[in-house]
Amino acid sequence: MSNLLKSKRFVVRQSLIGKNTNVEVSFKNGKTVTYSHDKAYEIMKTALEAMNCWSKYKSYTATNNIPKVLRETEAVISSETNEVETTNDVVETTEVEETEMVTPEVAF
């Protein structure tokens, strides 16, 4: 059985490698993606090892989506888009009477 980690951003961490962890990410845009951490790491391994964040923090994150290299791969277990509610409310405004702009005279 795998562990499930819930997150608000895509993440690959060295501390999770080999722990059979699935990550469920809920992005701000309403998209939810569940991926296999180990499979994502294997696909991204070469790129990760070249990144400063990986060598310094042993971690890589992305806040808006999963990396393109992982989309449409076996690392992605599920992907769904939840509609973000938008409203078409009418906002009333008050008309303001225009006034004549007066420029002060400058004495020379």
Side-chain angles (χ1 to χ4, degrees):
M1 178 149 168
S2 65
N3 301 316
L4 181 65
L5 174 68
K6 293 190 177 193
S7 178
K8 292 185 179 182
R9 66 184 59 84
F10 171 84
V11 63
V12 177
R13 291 187 197 134
Q14 190 175 44
S15 63
L16 293 175
I17 297 170
K19 303 246 171 124
N20 197 24
T21 301
N22 291 334
V23 183
E24 181 182 285
V25 185
S26 299
F27 295 104
K28 289 182 212 175
N29 64 5
K31 186 172 185 176
T32 301
V33 178
T34 303
Y35 63 94
S36 165
H37 181 274
D38 291 341
K39 289 179 182 177
Y41 172 73
E42 286 303 318
I43 293 168
M44 297 181 67
K45 185 177 182 176
T46 305
L48 288 170
E49 291 173 349
M51 293 181 185
N52 289 333
C53 62
W54 189 258
S55 61
K56 188 172 183 179
Y57 303 109
K58 307 298 185 214
S59 176
Y60 170 80
T61 63
T63 57
N64 294 319
N65 209 336
I66 65 171
K68 285 184 180 181
V69 70
L70 294 180
R71 297 176 201 166
E72 309 296 324
T73 68
E74 70 277 1
V76 178
I77 297 167
S78 69
S79 179
E80 56 186 68
T81 303
N82 301 322
E83 294 296 319
V84 177
E85 281 191 40
T86 58
T87 59
N88 292 328
D89 294 340
V90 176
V91 177
E92 290 186 31
T93 59
T94 308
E95 287 189 30
V96 177
E97 197 176 302
E98 285 189 35
T99 58
E100 187 177 321
M101 202 64 155
V102 179
T103 308
E105 293 183 26
V106 179
F108 290 97

